Amino acid sequence: MAVKSIFVLCMGFLLIASSAEAAPAVPAGHVTGVGGVFFKAKDPKALAAWYRDVLGLPIEAWGGAALRYDTPKHPPVVAWNAFPASTSYFAPSTSAFMINYAVDDMDALVARLHAKGVAILKRDDSDPNGRFAWILDPEGNKIELWEPKH
């Protein structure tokens, strides 16, 4: 009987502790994720073709791509971060944004980039979050490529 009482007390404690740690319910009317990325281009059709041919984005007839969260090896979240206006992280681009694209195989993509004559600005295979490479698109926008750590 004493063992059963101790078990019940322990289970009650665990239930109370876990309910106290549970996140409070989020009220309606909040952001749930990124629904799209939109930006101006000097030549939208040519730029879309470059993203299709060089980076493999699945450009659709309407001119954009639907990037799925449930694609194999895609990370379960999208990072959002506002950088200070003085950051040099986006350099040499002068754009006010930089898009990070998750990739499934950095080596294969870098090989495709080299074959297409795209210069790799920098590469980092030692980051604890995965492997990174940075390039510029034809309009000078810096792109961060990220293969998440598996």
Side-chain angles (χ1 to χ4, degrees):
M1 184 68 162
V3 172
K4 185 175 182 184
S5 296
I6 293 171
F7 176 75
V8 170
L9 284 172
C10 288
M11 290 305 292
F13 176 76
L14 288 174
L15 288 173
I16 290 168
S18 67
S19 66
E21 292 175 14
V26 179
H30 64 281
V31 173
T32 62
V34 174
V37 175
F38 310 102
F39 57 94
K40 295 178 182 181
K42 295 173 193 144
D43 188 344
K45 288 183 181 181
L47 194 59
W50 183 88
Y51 276 80
R52 179 196 63 222
D53 298 343
V54 175
L55 294 182
L57 250 64
I59 302 298
E60 309 227 359
W62 50 271
L67 303 173
R68 302 186 53 86
Y69 285 98
D70 60 353
T71 300
K73 297 186 180 182
H74 190 286
V77 297
V78 172
W80 181 95
N81 191 10
F83 283 74
S86 61
T87 188
S88 61
Y89 191 65
F90 301 176
S93 175
T94 57
S95 295
F97 68 91
M98 179 180 69
I99 300 175
N100 168 297
Y101 292 100
V103 304
D104 62 350
D105 185 328
M106 185 66 75
D107 293 328
L109 183 53
V110 167
R112 180 187 305 141
L113 294 170
H114 283 301
K116 298 282 187 178
V118 177
I120 306 297
L121 299 173
K122 182 179 173 186
R123 184 158 175 187
D124 182 359
D125 290 343
S126 64
D127 191 283
N129 295 304
R131 302 166 73 197
F132 291 87
W134 293 267
I135 62 172
L136 293 175
D137 75 13
E139 294 200 2
N141 300 305
K142 190 172 182 184
I143 298 167
E144 184 173 75
L145 304 169
W146 169 49
E147 181 183 350
K149 195 143 204 120
H150 302 292

mmCIF file of all heavy atoms in Angstrom, residues 42 90-97 136 139-142:
data_model
loop_
_atom_site.group_PDB
_atom_site.id
_atom_site.type_symbol
_atom_site.label_atom_id
_atom_site.label_comp_id
_atom_site.label_asym_id
_atom_site.label_seq_id
_atom_site.Cartn_x
_atom_site.Cartn_y
_atom_site.Cartn_z
ATOM 1 N N LYS A 42 14.330 43.777 -61.083
ATOM 2 C CA LYS A 42 14.418 44.538 -62.324
ATOM 3 C C LYS A 42 13.819 43.749 -63.476
ATOM 4 O O LYS A 42 13.158 44.301 -64.344
ATOM 5 C CB LYS A 42 15.877 44.900 -62.616
ATOM 6 C CG LYS A 42 16.484 45.825 -61.597
ATOM 7 C CD LYS A 42 17.972 46.006 -61.844
ATOM 8 C CE LYS A 42 18.571 46.673 -60.615
ATOM 9 N NZ LYS A 42 19.893 46.200 -60.325
ATOM 10 N N PHE A 90 24.933 41.202 -44.779
ATOM 11 C CA PHE A 90 24.348 41.034 -46.117
ATOM 12 C C PHE A 90 25.333 41.448 -47.222
ATOM 13 O O PHE A 90 25.047 41.265 -48.396
ATOM 14 C CB PHE A 90 23.073 41.851 -46.262
ATOM 15 C CG PHE A 90 21.978 41.523 -45.283
ATOM 16 C CD1 PHE A 90 20.822 42.262 -45.268
ATOM 17 C CD2 PHE A 90 22.085 40.484 -44.362
ATOM 18 C CE1 PHE A 90 19.795 41.986 -44.372
ATOM 19 C CE2 PHE A 90 21.074 40.197 -43.462
ATOM 20 C CZ PHE A 90 19.925 40.953 -43.466
ATOM 21 N N ALA A 91 26.462 42.049 -46.866
ATOM 22 C CA ALA A 91 27.448 42.516 -47.844
ATOM 23 C C ALA A 91 27.993 41.327 -48.644
ATOM 24 O O ALA A 91 28.060 40.217 -48.130
ATOM 25 C CB ALA A 91 28.582 43.247 -47.131
ATOM 26 N N PRO A 92 28.305 41.497 -49.895
ATOM 27 C CA PRO A 92 28.436 42.758 -50.615
ATOM 28 C C PRO A 92 27.126 43.302 -51.179
ATOM 29 O O PRO A 92 27.106 44.328 -51.829
ATOM 30 C CB PRO A 92 29.403 42.412 -51.743
ATOM 31 C CG PRO A 92 29.097 40.988 -52.056
ATOM 32 C CD PRO A 92 28.756 40.370 -50.706
ATOM 33 N N SER A 93 26.001 42.635 -50.926
ATOM 34 C CA SER A 93 24.713 43.122 -51.393
ATOM 35 C C SER A 93 24.355 44.415 -50.678
ATOM 36 O O SER A 93 24.682 44.601 -49.512
ATOM 37 C CB SER A 93 23.627 42.073 -51.115
ATOM 38 O OG SER A 93 22.357 42.578 -51.462
ATOM 39 N N THR A 94 23.670 45.298 -51.384
ATOM 40 C CA THR A 94 23.166 46.515 -50.765
ATOM 41 C C THR A 94 21.665 46.394 -50.494
ATOM 42 O O THR A 94 21.052 47.349 -50.021
ATOM 43 C CB THR A 94 23.434 47.738 -51.670
ATOM 44 O OG1 THR A 94 22.835 47.511 -52.950
ATOM 45 C CG2 THR A 94 24.936 47.976 -51.822
ATOM 46 N N SER A 95 21.089 45.239 -50.766
ATOM 47 C CA SER A 95 19.673 45.012 -50.491
ATOM 48 C C SER A 95 19.413 45.046 -48.991
ATOM 49 O O SER A 95 20.287 44.729 -48.185
ATOM 50 C CB SER A 95 19.222 43.648 -51.035
ATOM 51 O OG SER A 95 19.315 43.610 -52.426
ATOM 52 N N ALA A 96 18.190 45.383 -48.643
ATOM 53 C CA ALA A 96 17.811 45.456 -47.240
ATOM 54 C C ALA A 96 17.377 44.097 -46.697
ATOM 55 O O ALA A 96 16.935 43.997 -45.566
ATOM 56 C CB ALA A 96 16.673 46.464 -47.071
ATOM 57 N N PHE A 97 17.499 43.056 -47.500
ATOM 58 C CA PHE A 97 17.087 41.722 -47.066
ATOM 59 C C PHE A 97 18.081 40.682 -47.564
ATOM 60 O O PHE A 97 18.864 40.929 -48.484
ATOM 61 C CB PHE A 97 15.687 41.376 -47.591
ATOM 62 C CG PHE A 97 15.646 41.203 -49.088
ATOM 63 C CD1 PHE A 97 15.855 39.956 -49.664
ATOM 64 C CD2 PHE A 97 15.424 42.269 -49.919
ATOM 65 C CE1 PHE A 97 15.852 39.798 -51.042
ATOM 66 C CE2 PHE A 97 15.411 42.126 -51.298
ATOM 67 C CZ PHE A 97 15.626 40.878 -51.854
ATOM 68 N N LEU A 136 25.543 35.447 -54.622
ATOM 69 C CA LEU A 136 24.727 36.574 -55.072
ATOM 70 C C LEU A 136 23.881 36.116 -56.247
ATOM 71 O O LEU A 136 24.356 35.362 -57.108
ATOM 72 C CB LEU A 136 25.596 37.744 -55.523
ATOM 73 C CG LEU A 136 26.413 38.461 -54.455
ATOM 74 C CD1 LEU A 136 27.311 39.515 -55.103
ATOM 75 C CD2 LEU A 136 25.515 39.102 -53.407
ATOM 76 N N GLU A 139 20.847 39.894 -59.643
ATOM 77 C CA GLU A 139 20.526 41.285 -59.333
ATOM 78 C C GLU A 139 21.277 41.789 -58.100
ATOM 79 O O GLU A 139 21.007 42.873 -57.599
ATOM 80 C CB GLU A 139 19.017 41.461 -59.184
ATOM 81 C CG GLU A 139 18.302 41.226 -60.508
ATOM 82 C CD GLU A 139 16.910 41.829 -60.567
ATOM 83 O OE1 GLU A 139 16.466 42.480 -59.594
ATOM 84 O OE2 GLU A 139 16.269 41.646 -61.614
ATOM 85 N N GLY A 140 22.229 40.989 -57.611
ATOM 86 C CA GLY A 140 23.077 41.421 -56.509
ATOM 87 C C GLY A 140 22.530 41.163 -55.118
ATOM 88 O O GLY A 140 23.078 41.664 -54.145
ATOM 89 N N ASN A 141 21.458 40.380 -55.010
ATOM 90 C CA ASN A 141 20.915 40.033 -53.700
ATOM 91 C C ASN A 141 21.720 38.875 -53.121
ATOM 92 O O ASN A 141 21.914 37.858 -53.787
ATOM 93 C CB ASN A 141 19.447 39.612 -53.816
ATOM 94 C CG ASN A 141 18.584 40.713 -54.379
ATOM 95 O OD1 ASN A 141 18.561 41.816 -53.860
ATOM 96 N ND2 ASN A 141 17.896 40.424 -55.470
ATOM 97 N N LYS A 142 22.167 39.032 -51.897
ATOM 98 C CA LYS A 142 22.913 37.959 -51.245
ATOM 99 C C LYS A 142 21.943 36.861 -50.821
ATOM 100 O O LYS A 142 20.852 37.132 -50.316
ATOM 101 C CB LYS A 142 23.675 38.486 -50.026
ATOM 102 C CG LYS A 142 24.662 37.471 -49.455
ATOM 103 C CD LYS A 142 25.512 38.104 -48.380
ATOM 104 C CE LYS A 142 26.528 37.131 -47.821
ATOM 105 N NZ LYS A 142 27.289 37.737 -46.716
#
